[in-house]
Amino acid sequence: MLSKDLIMRLLVQVGVALAALVVGALLLVAIGVAPSDAFHAFWSGTFGTPTNAGTTLTQAVPLLLVALGWILTTRAGRLHVGFPGQILAGGSLATAVGLQCGSLPGPVAVVLTAIAGILGGALWAGLTAWLWASRGVLEIVSSLLLNLVAVQAAHWLVRGPLQGSLDGQPQSANFPAAALWPSVESIPGRTLSYDVLLLPVCAIAVLLLLSRTVFGFRLRVAGGNAEAARWSGIDPVREGVAAIVISGGFAGLAGAALLFAGSAPWMSDGFEAGVGFNGIAVALLARNSPIGVVVTAVVFSALNVGGTAMQAQLDVPSSLASVLQGAVIVLVLVAAIVLQRRASAPAATKPALARRRSGVVAARTGARTEEA
């Protein structure tokens, strides 16, 4: 039997989905587009063909990786927004390594680019962790500023050391075939890469890490109560540094996936494309659930891909997808507030009910004493 709390959560999520559909339909009517035509274009552009479905799933992978990094840091009680910079750092280092892997076997080159991406993102996140742990600089401030540094560094790399375009464009040379991550050959256009396996694998790995390991327990204790963690022999600073660095590794791997599993086999200065901040929204939409982010990552990816399809087929503004994403986030936050108030209401009424019952009992006892 399903609990009342679970049933309520399911009903709220269904209500959020229906409300998002209503908002989208109203926006489409406002710009003069029939909702039925828009839905057909959206579906055909996201899951209507194997090629489009592959694009949707492949673009969900970087969002998932960033969301998992966010979950790890929040469980440790830390908040940083440096994922865009870590994606750029990981992708840049993966590019530098991948361009040198032309003579290596394919599996070796793929592993090396993935490791380089993880290492680049972790090192960039390590700057944030070091500034916080040793200098007391708030990680949310330092990570935001380091994003700007990473953007400028990426601009310089594709115009300097990594520039390889024959016509002088700000992009690297084409990646060697051995370095490209393998894709499903039956689907044309390399739209479905095997990195989609990271969707369930990484989500389950993070879930088990947080719930079934000593390291996950230490993270949760450090994030829940730093003072209690110190009395228990757990160093909150060390756990926070570890969480930030690991989250940077996830973001760096997302940067490598964007480049070596994408449709364009080169690095440009804008390859991050907002994935860093969108990944945070994916985690918030899933309420920081490692399993829930699998679904929300696919939803956000579908909104991006479907928005492009509607723009191409119906001349719908490309910003509509961003508006729908924002509407979904707002609706989810409203739903979370409703659930929280519903959960806290019984807890608040219990003391009052107990006092009321004790008063009734006292009154009855007093009445019996007077009668005696």
Side-chain angles (χ1 to χ4, degrees):
M1 295 291 293
L2 296 176
S3 64
K4 292 183 178 180
D5 182 62
L6 180 58
I7 293 175
M8 179 57 62
R9 288 178 181 274
L10 292 175
L11 290 176
V12 169
Q13 296 300 326
V14 172
V16 168
L18 294 176
L21 290 176
V22 171
V23 171
L26 292 176
L27 290 174
L28 291 169
V29 171
I31 62 176
V33 176
S36 58
D37 295 339
F39 177 78
H40 181 269
F42 179 87
W43 177 258
S44 63
T46 52
F47 298 103
T49 65
T51 299
N52 294 338
T55 301
T56 301
L57 293 176
T58 298
Q59 291 191 13
V61 173
L63 294 172
L64 170 90
L65 294 172
V66 172
L68 293 176
W70 169 267
I71 291 172
L72 281 174
T73 55
T74 53
R75 293 295 174 88
R78 310 270 33 108
L79 293 175
H80 81 84
V81 291
F83 298 108
Q86 293 152 22
I87 289 173
L88 292 170
S92 299
L93 187 56
T95 297
V97 171
L99 291 174
Q100 308 302 320
C101 292
S103 59
L104 296 178
V108 176
V110 169
V111 172
L112 287 177
T113 56
I115 293 176
I118 295 172
L119 184 60
L123 289 174
W124 199 257
L127 295 175
T128 297
W130 176 77
L131 289 171
W132 166 66
S134 65
R135 303 299 179 188
V137 181
L138 289 176
E139 65 276 12
I140 194 169
V141 175
S142 61
S143 60
L144 183 62
L145 296 177
L146 284 171
N147 285 340
L148 305 178
V149 178
V151 169
Q152 297 303 317
H155 284 322
W156 171 72
L157 286 173
V158 295
R159 290 167 174 81
L162 296 181
Q163 203 281 332
S165 175
L166 297 178
D167 56 357
Q169 293 296 319
Q171 63 187 44
S172 70
N174 287 1
F175 300 138
L180 296 177
W181 293 7
S183 59
V184 179
E185 296 181 357
S186 60
I187 297 179
R190 296 190 72 254
T191 60
L192 181 60
S193 173
Y194 281 108
D195 70 338
V196 296
L197 297 176
L198 295 174
L199 288 169
V201 171
C202 288
I204 294 174
V206 170
L207 176 65
L208 295 177
L209 176 69
L210 291 173
S211 62
R212 303 295 183 184
T213 67
V214 175
F215 175 71
F217 172 76
R218 294 170 70 90
L219 278 185
R220 290 184 284 113
V221 172
N225 191 318
E227 190 63 28
R230 292 188 185 94
W231 280 99
S232 302
I234 298 174
D235 186 359
V237 175
R238 182 178 60 188
E239 304 305 326
V241 167
I244 293 173
V245 172
I246 294 174
S247 71
F250 273 110
L253 181 59
L258 283 170
L259 293 172
F260 291 90
S263 57
W266 59 77
M267 173 185 165
S268 62
D269 53 1
F271 76 90
E272 188 266 338
V275 171
F277 290 127
N278 284 339
I280 296 175
V282 166
L284 295 177
L285 183 60
R287 303 184 67 184
N288 288 342
S289 167
I291 301 301
V293 293
V294 176
V295 177
T296 55
V298 175
V299 169
F300 262 63
S301 177
L303 287 174
N304 290 329
V305 176
T308 302
M310 288 191 295
Q311 181 185 18
Q313 298 181 30
L314 302 175
D315 198 23
V316 173
S318 58
S319 58
L320 179 63
S322 300
V323 173
L324 289 177
Q325 289 176 351
V328 170
I329 293 173
V330 171
L331 291 171
V332 169
L333 291 177
V334 172
I337 294 173
V338 171
L339 289 174
Q340 184 177 6
R341 289 184 176 179
R342 183 179 179 84
S344 61
T349 56
K350 284 181 180 180
L353 182 60
R355 290 192 298 268
R356 189 182 307 167
R357 288 178 177 176
S358 63
V360 172
V361 172
R364 290 178 178 177
T365 303
R368 290 175 182 176
T369 304
E370 292 176 358
E371 291 175 359

